[in-house]
Amino acid sequence: MKLIICDDYNGVSKAAADIVAKEVNTNPECVLGLATGSTPVGMYEILADMNKAGKVDFKKVKSFNLDEYYPLSAENDQSYHYFMNENFFSKINIDKNNTHILNGMCENAEKECEQFEQLIEETGGIDLQILGIGQNGHIGFNEPNDNLCSLTHLTDLTENTIDANSRFFKSIDDVPKQALTMGIGTILKARKIIIMACGANKHDAVRALLSGLISTDMPASMLNVHTDVTLICDKEAYSNDCIGIDLGGTEIKFGVLSSDKKLVYKDSIPTDNSSEEKIVSGIANKCKEIMKKYTVSGIGVGTPGIIRNGRVTASNLPFKDTNLKEKLETAVGLPVRVSNDANCAALGEVICGAGQHIENMVMISLGTGVGGGIIAGNKIYEGTGCAGEFGHIVIEIGGRQCPCGQLGCLEQYASASALVDAAKSAAETNTDSILNKLYTEKRTMDGRIFFDAVERGCSVAKAVLDEYINYLAIGIKNIYNILDPELIVLSGGITNSDKLLLDPLKRVLGDNIKVTISKLKSDAGTIGAALLV
Ligand code: PGA
């Protein structure tokens, strides 16, 4: 299936009109299969203008319309006879005798359908069939059904279609419950087909169509067996799936978030830190691979560092005022939004995770450093580019040296690395402690070993944890007093030790400050990045 994605409805109308005009100009006696509905109206307008301007001549063109309501008279302003006359035939130089629309008032529907099929055959078959697509994937009035009909036939309309089309009628009760329609086989016999789709409400149908799977639940999917079909759609119909990228110093995580906010794909690649070009091409190649499988409308990237207008400066990546947004847009050809990784995680958490149903939230990540994201009114608060750098709140005058140049920054006391460092030195000093025993056995120290010692009742480990919790609580109280969020969400591997860390922390903080741990865990960053789009 060929695919033309246009910016908007006008683009779709123009692209479709160009194909029709080319067909007519190549073969002035061609047979067109025509469609009704709101989608082709713009195309008919453009074709009428082209006809007036002498750019296309319909004098010898023949046409067959896809369908007509039953029973409904040609004079009714909701009939497709009326529609075609109003929107197209009265505005072009087609010979009305060469236009064919099923008779919605025929006495014998079966006979009417048979004659219609026969007439198409006698005229030499349809050269170019124009189609719209229903929200439920119908083409013409071939509704989702276990048994799809091949030839022109009388059919019942589904509730979904009656509902969708009721916008054209005075009331839903006025919508006819049946219609005459070309069958799937009639449509597939056309030598060439174009199908148009506009608007987000066609997204699911377009996605199903592009998946290549064939199912009677999605009549349009039958078009996948035809060899000359062009889908023309706008960006909204094409997709609401977004790629979210969590760019880290050692790995780049990718996720695809569907329109119903589900993470439908996850993967990662190692970060090639040797140059900014290597990172950009690594991301672009992976995105292109994903785009073969998913219909993606945009890309969001969460990256460490300071971001101003899509330009990134990060100390642990080769980015120095790098215009990441522009570089990726050029490489991939999709709109890209860039924000700080901790901000993205916070956005993910407030929309899809622990902060659902609230609007003002703070997320604090406890990892190598202490990161943070502020959500105000369900949106990221970025300040001029680096708001939420909670790790660099000073909590100890003349305290530990931080690489940022300050002394006594929160992350020197409350990061996971700070906890592991403190555990290591306590183990080395207290040689008869459980902590020392585990440290000596495992020949390393990490969060798991440390919390194992706490759980086994090690008083040395417990003292380290108490001090850690006190420092973390000072940081959280400072943040709370400035921002007064509804919820503070903690993330990072060490928060997995829920009971050992969160419960005592809550006791130190008191009842006013609501704290919880991340629900999305390591997916928060990719989900939040996708939500930027
Ligand atoms: P629409 O209908 O163009 O009004 O969206 C298309 C269809 O139902 O086939």
Side-chain angles (χ1 to χ4, degrees):
M1 187 167 307
K2 282 172 253 167
L3 179 63
I4 301 175
I5 305 162
C6 306
D7 280 342
D8 52 21
Y9 178 73
N10 290 339
V12 170
S13 303
K14 172 86 175 54
D18 284 346
I19 294 175
V20 176
K22 191 170 165 213
E23 181 71 26
V24 175
N25 287 336
T26 314
N27 174 10
E29 293 183 25
C30 69
V31 182
L32 297 178
L34 299 178
T36 51
S38 52
T39 310
V41 172
M43 175 196 72
Y44 288 138
E45 257 171 43
I46 295 170
L47 284 170
D49 288 346
M50 289 171 96
N51 184 229
K52 240 182 238 130
K55 292 183 183 154
V56 60
D57 185 358
F58 291 97
K59 201 163 65 205
K60 294 186 180 153
V61 168
K62 296 172 209 72
S63 77
F64 288 86
N65 261 78
L66 267 175
D67 45 17
E68 177 59 287
Y69 287 115
Y70 181 85
L72 200 65
S73 88
E75 285 72 44
N76 188 304
D77 61 5
Q78 290 312 323
S79 74
Y80 290 161
H81 279 82
Y82 193 94
F83 175 102
M84 288 309 299
N85 205 41
E86 274 291 296
N87 288 295
F88 199 38
F89 296 155
S90 65
K91 297 179 179 171
I92 58 170
N93 67 335
I94 199 164
D95 179 349
K96 282 277 181 61
N97 295 320
N98 286 339
T99 67
H100 307 280
I101 306 179
L102 287 149
N103 178 5
M105 292 305 281
C106 62
E107 280 181 5
N108 183 337
E110 206 175 312
K111 199 159 156 220
E112 172 71 11
C113 293
E114 241 178 71
Q115 282 172 355
F116 193 74
E117 280 285 335
Q118 210 176 331
L119 202 54
I120 294 175
E121 288 295 312
E122 283 165 12
T123 322
I126 293 168
D127 293 299
L128 174 63
Q129 176 66 54
I130 296 149
L131 297 174
I133 184 167
Q135 290 170 36
N136 62 0
H138 73 204
I139 44 176
F141 275 127
N142 293 280
E143 302 282 43
N145 195 314
D146 286 348
N147 302 305
L148 291 178
C149 287
S150 175
L151 300 178
T152 303
H153 60 285
L154 176 67
T155 184
D156 293 335
L157 302 184
T158 59
E159 264 177 43
N160 179 298
T161 298
I162 292 172
D163 192 40
N165 290 6
S166 64
R167 67 192 197 277
F168 301 114
F169 291 80
K170 278 201 198 82
S171 89
I172 195 160
D173 298 329
D174 292 335
V175 186
K177 307 288 177 284
Q178 287 189 301
L180 302 165
T181 180
M182 284 185 192
I184 294 289
T186 327
I187 293 169
L188 289 178
K189 266 193 265 171
R191 284 180 265 281
K192 207 179 286 174
I193 297 173
I194 57 177
I195 178 160
M196 291 187 273
C198 291
N201 61 346
K202 299 290 172 72
H203 169 250
D204 288 346
V206 166
R207 190 163 53 169
L209 181 59
L210 286 174
S211 74
L213 300 173
I214 294 175
S215 152
T216 56
D217 286 343
M218 179 56 59
S221 68
M222 300 292 156
L223 297 177
N224 281 305
V225 303
H226 196 284
T227 53
D228 193 348
V229 179
T230 304
L231 168 65
I232 310 172
C233 58
D234 66 5
K235 283 185 174 156
E236 281 190 334
Y238 180 57
S239 175
N240 286 330
D241 289 351
C242 297
I243 296 178
I245 298 170
D246 189 359
L247 181 43
T250 47
E251 66 166 355
I252 307 173
K253 287 194 243 165
F254 295 79
V256 174
L257 197 69
S258 64
S259 46
D260 50 356
K261 299 198 175 65
K262 293 208 173 73
L263 200 58
V264 291
Y265 168 94
K266 269 167 56 164
D267 202 2
S268 66
I269 58 170
T271 311
D272 182 344
N273 258 324
S274 55
S275 69
E276 112 187 354
E277 284 73 28
K278 282 271 163 49
I279 293 185
V280 169
S281 66
I283 293 178
N285 290 341
K286 189 71 188 170
C287 286
K288 285 180 190 159
E289 185 190 311
I290 294 171
M291 285 155 65
K292 284 191 191 138
K293 220 162 141 208
Y294 294 89
T295 49
V296 176
S297 61
I299 299 169
V301 186
T303 166
I306 295 168
I307 297 107
R308 290 194 170 93
N309 302 322
R311 305 183 85 94
V312 186
T313 300
S315 55
N316 57 346
L317 290 169
F319 290 161
K320 203 157 178 259
D321 203 28
T322 301
N323 196 335
L324 189 60
K325 173 180 161 61
E326 198 179 279
K327 282 179 191 289
L328 283 175
E329 282 180 346
T330 309
V332 186
L334 280 177
V336 174
R337 297 279 306 273
V338 180
S339 190
N340 175 273
D341 51 359
N343 288 343
C344 290
L347 185 65
E349 206 65 56
V350 82
I351 307 277
C352 302
Q356 285 178 66
H357 315 303
I358 61 161
E359 295 196 344
N360 304 299
M361 194 201 86
V362 159
M363 186 145 169
I364 305 171
S365 60
L366 309 170
T368 316
V370 171
I374 303 169
I375 300 294
N378 261 336
K379 291 205 172 79
I380 294 173
Y381 175 76
E382 289 186 314
T384 61
C386 55
E389 286 292 340
F390 302 135
H392 301 286
I393 294 171
V394 174
I395 57 160
E396 190 87 62
I397 295 175
R400 294 174 195 159
Q401 179 70 50
C402 182
C404 77
Q406 298 188 129
L407 297 177
C409 287
L410 178 66
E411 72 177 28
Q412 295 308 315
Y413 302 85
S415 62
S417 309
L419 177 64
V420 171
D421 286 349
K424 205 164 142 189
S425 75
E428 282 163 357
T429 321
N430 300 278
T431 45
D432 53 354
S433 63
I434 300 174
L435 189 61
N436 177 279
K437 190 171 165 273
L438 293 178
Y439 177 51
T440 317
E441 258 171 42
K442 308 268 181 195
R443 293 200 199 136
T444 184
M445 180 58 75
D446 60 20
R448 202 168 294 159
I449 296 167
F450 170 73
F451 282 108
D452 190 12
V454 176
E455 247 181 336
R456 292 186 192 198
C458 172
S459 57
V460 171
K462 177 74 173 51
V464 170
L465 182 62
D466 286 348
E467 188 183 67
Y468 174 81
I469 286 174
N470 279 333
Y471 279 124
L472 181 57
I474 294 171
I476 291 176
K477 280 181 190 170
N478 287 342
I479 294 162
Y480 174 79
N481 284 321
I482 296 168
L483 295 170
D484 186 22
E486 291 164 79
L487 183 68
I488 294 177
V489 179
L490 301 178
S491 70
I494 62 167
T495 61
N496 290 338
S497 310
D498 200 359
K499 282 206 171 53
L500 299 178
L501 180 74
L502 193 64
D503 292 352
L505 177 67
K506 279 182 176 169
R507 281 196 289 278
V508 177
L509 290 172
D511 289 342
N512 284 344
I513 306 178
K514 301 271 173 283
V515 193
T516 189
I517 54 169
S518 157
K519 197 168 161 191
L520 302 179
K521 307 279 183 207
S522 57
D523 291 335
T526 45
I527 291 177
L531 289 167
L532 292 174
V533 192

